[in-house]
Amino acid sequence: MPLAQTATTVPVTVNADLCIADKGCTVCVDVCPLDVLRIAETEDGSKTAYMKYDECWYCMPCEADCPTGAVTVNLPYLLK
Amino acid sequence: MDEILDGLTQIDCDILVIGGGTAGPMAALKAKKKNPKANVVLLDKANVKRSGAISMGMDGLNNSVIPGYATPEQYTKEITVANDGICDQAAVYRYAQECYGIIQELDDFGIRFQKDQNGEYDVKKVHHIGTYVLPMPNGDTVKKALYRQLRKARINIVNRYMATRLLTGEGRIAGAVCVNTRTAEFLVVRAKAVIMGLGAAGRLGLPTSGYLYGTYENASNSGEGYAMAYHAGAGLANLECYQINPLIKDYNGPACAYVAGPMGGYTANAQGERFIECDYWSGQMMQEFYDELQGGKGPVYLKLNHLAEETISEIERVLHIVERPTRGHFHKGRGTDYRKQMIEMHISEIGFCSGHSASGVFVDEHARTTIPGLYAAGDMANVPHNYMLGAFTNGAFAGLDAADFIADVDFAAFDEAEVEAERTRVLAPTKRDDGIPPNQIEYKTRRLVNDYLQPPKVTAKMELAQERFEEVREDMEQGMYVRDSHELMRALEASSILDCADMAASASLYRTESRWGLYHNRVEYDRDDENWFCHTILTKGDDGKPAHRKQEVKPYIVEIAEDEKDAYNNQRVGASVAAE
């Protein structure tokens, strides 16, 4: 029983130009109550935070605690 | 990260506090203060910095008993009536006596409460009878202030470990089995006392949006406390008294009539008319809300558009920075301006939560459960309507009592085979090559909860729910499949949710009367004080399924006069008021 790969829009977006994951910052990943954020390595070797799991309570610690204002919490499409 | 690793570590501590939201931190602080030598561990499946129901903060204390505004006797009476009489008053009364001291301590932590020009607490009236609501203008700083205190007191904080089962032995608590949510490695914690503050079962019903995490409660509060207490053999009280709340439709966050009410806002029908006298959440109020939604005068709204600009700006300032700050984003997206439109409301999915209703693990006025050395506080413990200040205050009681309890005991011996059995249960979904992912198990469970358990409650529907839950359980136990440790956390949550769904159906079938307004509206039965003026206690039966018994309500400490008993039953406004 193989699993499908169904696309979904994610509510949390990260501005890669502002994100300082490269410098070792993991604040948004650390504070998320649902633990849905991760750090990705891009093709050019730099790092940025992104939403890996679409399991968001739109609570906002990631946005509020980000030191550079890189994170935006939008409402999940199903309820916005 | 998230790769599944094999590992097992054991640690010992005097007091293990599970849950770092509201009750847990206060319990840890109080225990450590009373016994500075005690090794206190505070464990959370998220990060204590931002975990729990008050992750982003709270806009006020809903149930503060402040000298000059209210007395413990008056508060105890109000909550007894609001909770339809089924209330052991000792716990409520002790809370009412001691919560003022907790407010002062929180004040010392740097959490500011609204004061008037004379420097007195500026308490507002929202309840039917008394005055208890104290706004928190910087309520967005609560978690940060708590975290500073935890660091100062040198509490050992363990983040990203999820407790999955409690360990017992020698007739008392012995510790807990935990699993790392990012590596799936196990941690066995031996403890002389365990305090549970794991929050509500907030992922029980499915929000009407269909989004699994679009819940009223912090979606990480998925009912582990209820499930673990159940499997350990503790008693759970009045689970049929569901939590159902009046919320902003789709957004599913509180409309915050407690904030807007004292400033002139109110709940209205589509004609802009008031239909309930009092916006304080009770089962009876929710019944009126439900009737209005179903009747020709719905939908229901929060009405603010009659207020002055300064008032609306102040309401926005509070509601858009604390508790659920994305509320501002939501309204903006829909083009809702409080000055022009009313805010559409709806009723929430069901959950278990004593913070707002009365469904919780049974505790006494010391926060002791029915298992020696095991405590519970906050939303998951059955002190009715205890809200955030109740979580802090009852958490404090748990910490203080646990500090005494550990003085006289050593670690209880437990059966090592239990740990092995739990490892096998937890890891089963990682041992398969394919199968059903946890989100589908969870979705189906919660969709069935909505179909069959959402009040008004009907016997035949609830029995069908039990049959369907059995099938889902079979699928879960035989076929659930996860690919990483994050999904494993969701799988464990799905299991707790299914346990709670089973308990909700079973508890609701047991009480063959209607009580608590909409929360336990069994359409085939009327209210029956003669046979059902009692708690219902649910435990795990010998057959592994819920067992039930009645337990008498302890004699009241504060007497309720006959004519006061109906204060919350007559919520619908009369014709003359509605015309205003």
Side-chain angles (χ1 to χ4, degrees):
Chain A
M1 197 179 352
L3 300 183
Q5 297 195 342
T6 308
T8 177
T9 65
V10 294
V12 174
T13 54
V14 180
N15 182 335
D17 293 336
L18 295 176
C19 179
I20 51 167
D22 247 350
K23 297 189 167 63
C25 179
T26 57
V27 168
C28 60
V29 178
D30 294 343
V31 296
C32 175
L34 276 304
D35 203 15
V36 298
L37 304 176
R38 293 290 182 268
I39 306 293
E41 206 158 317
T42 53
E43 277 174 20
D44 61 3
S46 66
K47 289 177 177 173
T48 182
Y50 78 109
M51 188 173 204
K52 182 176 179 187
Y53 303 97
D54 177 23
E55 301 163 341
C56 182
W57 190 50
Y58 41 104
C59 51
M60 247 169 72
C62 55
E63 180 179 317
D65 295 349
C66 173
T68 64
V71 182
T72 305
V73 178
N74 302 293
L75 289 150
Y77 178 71
L78 290 184
L79 55 92
K80 79 186 237 186
Chain B
M1 199 149 46
D2 306 321
E3 192 187 344
I4 291 167
L5 304 176
D6 186 26
L8 175 70
T9 312
Q10 182 172 311
I11 61 168
D12 292 347
C13 65
D14 294 306
I15 300 173
L16 170 65
V17 182
I18 308 172
T22 314
M26 187 59 92
L29 287 170
K30 285 289 178 181
K32 187 74 178 174
K33 201 168 175 190
K34 191 167 184 183
N35 182 353
K37 287 185 187 153
N39 180 4
V40 180
V41 170
L42 177 60
L43 180 130
D44 201 297
K45 72 174 168 180
N47 186 311
V48 173
K49 277 184 188 169
R50 286 294 196 184
S51 62
I54 60 167
S55 171
M56 278 306 281
M58 190 49 64
D59 48 34
L61 300 177
N62 293 337
N63 283 22
S64 59
V65 184
I66 294 181
Y69 290 96
T71 64
E73 288 74 17
Q74 190 183 32
Y75 177 78
T76 305
K77 187 184 285 189
E78 177 119 27
I79 294 304
T80 305
V81 177
N83 196 44
D84 227 345
I86 309 290
C87 171
D88 282 357
Q89 287 186 339
V92 177
Y93 189 62
R94 185 179 177 204
Y95 159 80
Q97 286 177 306
E98 299 190 33
C99 70
Y100 184 53
I102 298 289
I103 294 173
Q104 290 169 314
E105 276 184 70
L106 295 172
D107 213 325
D108 289 342
F109 292 174
I111 299 161
R112 218 151 37 82
F113 300 99
Q114 191 159 305
K115 292 182 180 161
D116 63 20
Q117 287 159 329
N118 299 321
E120 304 288 339
Y121 288 121
D122 188 11
V123 194
K124 310 286 189 190
K125 184 176 187 310
V126 172
H127 293 60
H128 214 59
I129 307 167
T131 303
Y132 314 102
V133 173
L134 178 58
M136 293 164 65
N138 71 339
D140 55 322
T141 61
V142 177
K143 285 295 281 187
K144 285 193 170 141
L146 276 179
Y147 196 70
R148 276 198 301 275
Q149 297 299 320
L150 291 168
R151 301 296 300 205
K152 213 162 97 184
R154 294 172 183 273
I155 305 295
N156 296 309
I157 295 172
V158 180
N159 290 320
R160 303 291 176 197
Y161 271 93
M162 176 182 190
T164 67
R165 284 290 185 267
L166 297 169
L167 294 165
T168 54
E170 304 174 31
R172 60 189 165 95
I173 197 71
V177 180
C178 315
V179 64
N180 188 298
T181 62
R182 288 172 175 176
T183 65
E185 291 168 293
F186 282 80
L187 177 71
V188 174
V189 185
R190 286 205 307 168
K192 295 171 188 169
V194 174
I195 299 170
M196 293 189 290
L198 290 105
R203 243 158 76 200
L204 184 51
L206 186 66
T208 48
S209 67
Y211 190 65
L212 283 175
Y213 301 83
T215 46
Y216 165 70
E217 295 289 346
N218 183 328
S220 65
N221 292 346
S222 45
E224 274 81 62
Y226 291 81
M228 282 198 292
Y230 171 72
H231 289 293
L236 296 101
N238 305 319
L239 295 181
E240 65 277 18
C241 180
Y242 297 164
Q243 164 178 251
I244 304 169
N245 296 325
L247 304 178
I248 297 174
K249 185 165 184 306
D250 297 341
Y251 181 68
N252 230 25
C256 284
Y258 296 2
V259 172
M263 300 170 92
Y266 58 87
T267 309
N269 61 23
Q271 275 100 56
E273 294 165 348
R274 278 180 206 264
F275 62 95
I276 38 176
E277 286 185 359
C278 166
D279 282 332
Y280 181 70
W281 295 0
S282 64
Q284 298 87 332
M285 180 269 203
M286 279 312 302
Q287 184 66 54
E288 295 296 348
F289 197 109
Y290 175 84
D291 291 345
E292 201 75 1
L293 280 175
Q294 298 299 316
K297 290 186 175 177
V300 171
Y301 296 89
L302 175 66
K303 182 168 162 55
L304 304 173
N305 56 6
H306 56 294
L307 300 174
E309 169 61 33
E310 302 77 43
T311 312
I312 291 178
S313 303
E314 176 60 13
I315 291 172
E316 278 178 339
R317 196 192 64 76
V318 174
L319 295 184
H320 297 178
I321 62 158
V322 296
E323 193 170 349
R324 300 305 309 276
T326 47
R327 175 181 182 149
H329 297 7
F330 175 76
H331 291 315
K332 200 173 166 206
R334 294 239 172 134
T336 306
D337 181 344
Y338 296 169
R339 291 153 192 82
K340 299 190 179 108
Q341 292 96 8
M342 299 194 291
I343 301 147
E344 186 185 354
M345 294 174 69
H346 199 66
I347 59 175
S348 72
E349 66 282 1
I350 69 160
F352 293 149
C353 176
S354 273
H356 305 92
S357 66
S359 36
V361 174
F362 183 82
V363 293
D364 66 9
E365 65 272 27
H366 305 285
R368 297 172 186 156
T369 70
T370 54
I371 296 174
L374 179 65
Y375 299 80
D379 280 346
M380 64 165 289
N382 82 315
V383 182
H385 297 222
N386 75 95
Y387 288 93
M388 180 179 73
L389 187 56
F392 280 131
T393 308
N394 292 300
F397 297 161
L400 292 170
D401 203 78
D404 288 340
F405 183 85
I406 59 162
D408 305 324
V409 297
D410 202 347
F411 296 107
F414 59 86
D415 185 356
E416 294 285 345
E418 275 185 45
V419 176
E420 213 31 61
E422 179 58 0
R423 283 184 83 185
T424 305
R425 179 189 81 92
V426 168
L427 292 175
T430 70
K431 307 293 185 194
R432 300 183 181 111
D433 295 326
D434 66 26
I436 309 163
N439 64 330
Q440 286 191 302
I441 296 285
E442 176 178 341
Y443 189 97
K444 190 161 179 179
T445 304
R446 294 173 61 190
R447 193 265 299 168
L448 291 167
V449 166
N450 281 22
D451 287 350
Y452 295 121
L453 301 187
Q454 181 97 18
K457 300 178 185 178
V458 178
T459 304
K461 286 170 72 177
M462 292 192 287
E463 287 169 352
L464 278 172
Q466 291 182 310
E467 283 179 39
R468 297 286 92 80
F469 293 154
E470 281 290 315
E471 293 157 10
V472 175
R473 186 171 292 279
E474 176 77 13
D475 295 339
M476 181 181 78
E477 289 175 355
Q478 303 306 321
M480 187 158 58
Y481 165 62
V482 303
R483 297 169 296 184
D484 63 26
S485 54
H486 180 86
E487 289 183 357
L488 182 60
M489 166 170 69
R490 296 289 176 248
L492 291 163
E493 290 172 346
S495 168
S496 296
I497 291 164
L498 185 54
D499 285 343
C500 289
D502 272 333
M503 289 192 269
S506 194
S508 295
L509 283 165
Y510 181 64
R511 184 182 282 273
T512 49
E513 67 149 359
S514 287
R515 192 170 292 266
W516 299 293
L518 184 65
Y519 300 162
H520 186 62
N521 177 351
R522 280 197 74 175
V523 285
E524 300 132 286
Y525 298 94
D526 289 329
R527 185 190 180 86
D528 177 4
D529 276 334
E530 201 171 316
N531 294 300
W532 288 104
F533 188 78
C534 61
H535 299 287
T536 61
I537 303 292
L538 182 151
T539 52
K540 188 176 181 179
D542 295 334
D543 61 353
K545 292 186 174 165
H548 307 273
R549 62 182 164 81
K550 293 179 179 182
Q551 180 172 301
E552 68 170 337
V553 174
K554 294 214 178 93
Y556 286 164
I557 299 167
V558 181
E559 281 306 319
I560 317 280
E562 275 305 316
D563 61 344
E564 291 170 322
K565 285 181 179 166
D566 281 338
Y568 276 78
N569 289 339
N570 304 317
Q571 296 267 347
R572 187 157 279 273
V573 297
S576 59
V577 183
E580 277 175 19

